[in-house]
Coordinates of all heavy atoms in Angstrom, one line a residue:
A222 N 99.2 90.2 106.1 CA 99.8 90.1 104.7 C 99.9 91.5 104.1 O 100.9 91.8 103.4 CB 98.9 89.2 103.9
R225 N 103.0 93.1 105.7 CA 104.2 92.5 105.4 C 104.6 92.7 103.9 O 105.8 92.9 103.6 CB 104.1 91.1 105.7 CG 105.5 90.3 105.9 CD 105.3 89.0 106.4 NE 106.5 88.2 106.5 CZ 107.4 88.2 107.6 NH1 107.2 89.0 108.6 NH2 108.3 87.3 107.5
Y226 N 103.5 92.6 103.0 CA 103.8 92.6 101.5 C 103.4 93.9 100.9 O 103.1 93.9 99.7 CB 103.1 91.3 100.9 CG 103.4 90.1 101.7 CD1 102.4 89.2 101.8 CD2 104.6 89.8 102.1 CE1 102.5 88.1 102.6 CE2 104.9 88.5 102.9 CZ 103.8 87.8 103.1 OH 104.0 86.5 103.8
M229 N 104.8 94.9 97.6 CA 104.6 94.0 96.4 C 103.3 94.2 95.7 O 102.3 93.7 96.2 CB 104.8 92.5 96.8 CG 106.1 92.3 97.6 SD 106.1 90.6 98.2 CE 107.6 90.5 99.2
L231 N 101.8 92.9 93.1 CA 101.0 91.7 92.8 C 100.4 91.1 94.0 O 99.3 90.6 94.0 CB 101.8 90.8 91.9 CG 102.2 91.3 90.5 CD1 103.1 90.3 89.8 CD2 101.0 91.7 89.7
G232 N 101.2 91.1 95.1 CA 100.6 90.5 96.4 C 99.5 91.2 96.8 O 98.4 90.6 97.3
V233 N 99.6 92.6 96.8 CA 98.5 93.5 97.4 C 97.3 93.2 96.5 O 96.1 93.3 96.9 CB 98.9 94.9 97.4 CG1 97.8 95.8 97.8 CG2 100.1 95.0 98.5
A235 N 96.4 90.7 94.7 CA 95.8 89.4 95.0 C 94.9 89.5 96.3 O 93.7 89.0 96.3 CB 96.9 88.3 95.2
L236 N 95.4 90.1 97.3 CA 94.6 90.3 98.5 C 93.3 91.1 98.3 O 92.3 90.8 98.7 CB 95.5 91.0 99.6 CG 96.6 90.1 100.2 CD1 97.6 90.9 101.0 CD2 96.0 89.1 101.2
F257 N 96.5 81.5 99.0 CA 97.6 81.2 99.9 C 98.9 80.8 99.1 O 100.0 81.1 99.6 CB 97.2 80.1 100.8 CG 96.2 80.5 101.8 CD1 94.9 80.5 101.6 CD2 96.6 81.1 103.0 CE1 94.0 81.0 102.5 CE2 95.8 81.6 104.0 CZ 94.4 81.5 103.8
L258 N 98.8 80.3 97.9 CA 100.0 80.1 97.0 C 100.6 81.5 96.8 O 102.0 81.6 96.8 CB 99.6 79.4 95.8 CG 99.4 77.9 95.9 CD1 98.9 77.4 94.5 CD2 100.6 77.2 96.4
V259 N 99.9 82.5 96.4 CA 100.4 83.7 96.1 C 101.1 84.3 97.4 O 102.2 84.9 97.3 CB 99.3 84.8 95.6 CG1 99.9 86.2 95.6 CG2 98.9 84.3 94.3
L260 N 100.4 84.1 98.6 CA 101.0 84.7 99.8 C 102.4 84.0 100.1 O 103.3 84.6 100.7 CB 100.1 84.5 100.9 CG 98.8 85.3 100.9 CD1 98.0 85.1 102.1 CD2 99.1 86.8 100.7
G261 N 102.4 82.7 99.7 CA 103.7 81.9 99.9 C 104.8 82.5 99.0 O 105.9 82.6 99.5
I262 N 104.5 82.8 97.8 CA 105.5 83.4 96.9 C 105.8 84.8 97.4 O 107.1 85.1 97.4 CB 104.8 83.6 95.4 CG1 104.5 82.3 94.8 CG2 105.8 84.5 94.6 CD1 103.8 82.4 93.5
C263 N 105.0 85.5 97.9 CA 105.3 86.9 98.5 C 106.2 86.7 99.8 O 107.2 87.5 100.0 CB 104.0 87.6 99.0 SG 103.0 88.3 97.6
E264 N 105.9 85.7 100.6 CA 106.7 85.4 101.8 C 108.2 85.1 101.4 O 109.2 85.5 101.9 CB 106.2 84.3 102.6 CG 106.9 84.0 103.8 CD 107.0 85.1 104.8 OE1 106.2 86.0 104.8 OE2 108.0 85.1 105.7
S265 N 108.3 84.3 100.3 CA 109.6 83.9 99.8 C 110.4 85.1 99.4 O 111.6 85.3 99.7 CB 109.5 82.8 98.7 OG 110.7 82.6 98.1
R266 N 109.8 85.9 98.6 CA 110.4 87.2 98.1 C 110.7 88.2 99.2 O 111.7 88.8 99.2 CB 109.6 87.8 97.0 CG 109.4 86.9 95.8 CD 108.8 87.7 94.7 NE 108.7 86.9 93.4 CZ 108.4 87.3 92.2 NH1 107.9 88.5 92.2 NH2 108.4 86.5 91.2
Y267 N 109.8 88.2 100.2 CA 110.1 89.0 101.4 C 111.3 88.6 102.1 O 112.1 89.5 102.5 CB 108.9 89.0 102.2 CG 109.0 89.8 103.5 CD1 108.8 91.3 103.4 CD2 109.4 89.3 104.7 CE1 108.9 92.0 104.6 CE2 109.6 90.1 105.9 CZ 109.3 91.4 105.8 OH 109.4 92.2 107.0
R268 N 111.5 87.4 102.3 CA 112.7 86.8 103.0 C 113.9 87.1 102.2 O 115.0 87.4 102.8 CB 112.5 85.4 103.4 CG 111.3 85.1 104.3 CD 111.2 83.7 104.7 NE 110.1 83.4 105.6 CZ 109.8 82.3 106.1 NH1 110.6 81.2 106.0 NH2 108.7 82.2 106.9
L269 N 113.9 86.9 100.9 CA 115.0 87.2 100.0 C 115.3 88.7 100.2 O 116.5 89.1 100.2 CB 114.7 86.9 98.6 CG 114.7 85.3 98.3 CD1 114.2 85.1 96.9 CD2 116.0 84.7 98.5
I277 N 112.5 94.4 95.9 CA 111.0 94.3 95.7 C 110.4 95.4 94.9 O 109.6 95.2 94.0 CB 110.3 94.4 97.1 CG1 110.6 93.2 97.9 CG2 108.9 94.7 97.2 CD1 110.0 93.2 99.4

Side-chain angles (χ1 to χ4, degrees):
R225 194 171 178 87
Y226 312 134
M229 302 179 189
L231 293 180
V233 174
L236 286 164
F257 286 93
L258 284 173
V259 171
L260 295 183
I262 293 171
C263 290
E264 179 63 22
S265 173
R266 293 187 173 187
Y267 178 82
R268 294 183 184 187
L269 289 172
I277 288 180

